[in-house]
Amino acid sequence: MAKLTQDELLAQFEELTLIELAAFVKAFEEKFDVTAAAPVAVAGIAGPGAVAEAVEEQDEFDVILDGAGDKKIQVIKEVRTLTSLGLKEAKDLVDTAGAKVLEKVAKDVAEKAKAALEAAGAKVTVK
């Protein structure tokens, strides 16, 4: 059998269905005692450390309204103060559970918005 170039091999793989290609990969792994998923496992080991670094470096936060509480009118007023929404839009936002009041704001802005909304009686989370 003549040796195939990389381009010729890729052309052959293009003609295979996904099921045929998956069967080929399995047979290749068994024949040569290798695992195609090994690089993913190595990246998975480094993953938690990278996630921890990403959390520490977060500089944009979302202010999410979990519930309006008993003082819905005060919460609507506070939402209007924090955003440029009209009365109807602010009311719709307050009526929607899990709605984002502010997106991608600095931590100090998010904390101030959370404090203002909680003072009005709302339940708020910052993510």
Side-chain angles (χ1 to χ4, degrees), residues 36-110:
V40 176
V42 172
I45 293 170
V51 171
E53 290 176 14
V55 170
E56 292 173 10
E57 297 175 9
Q58 182 178 1
D59 59 349
E60 294 180 336
F61 297 87
D62 294 338
V63 179
I64 301 171
L65 184 65
D66 294 326
D70 295 335
K71 302 177 182 178
K72 187 174 175 181
I73 294 173
Q74 285 79 7
V75 174
I76 292 171
K77 287 180 182 178
E78 197 57 47
V79 167
R80 291 191 67 204
T81 302
L82 294 170
T83 64
S84 60
L85 296 176
L87 181 60
K88 181 179 181 347
E89 292 83 8
K91 180 186 177 301
D92 291 344
L93 187 130
V94 170
D95 288 339
T96 306
K100 291 182 182 178
V101 177
L102 298 173
E103 293 184 62
K104 298 182 180 178
V105 295
K107 184 175 184 173
D108 58 334
V109 174

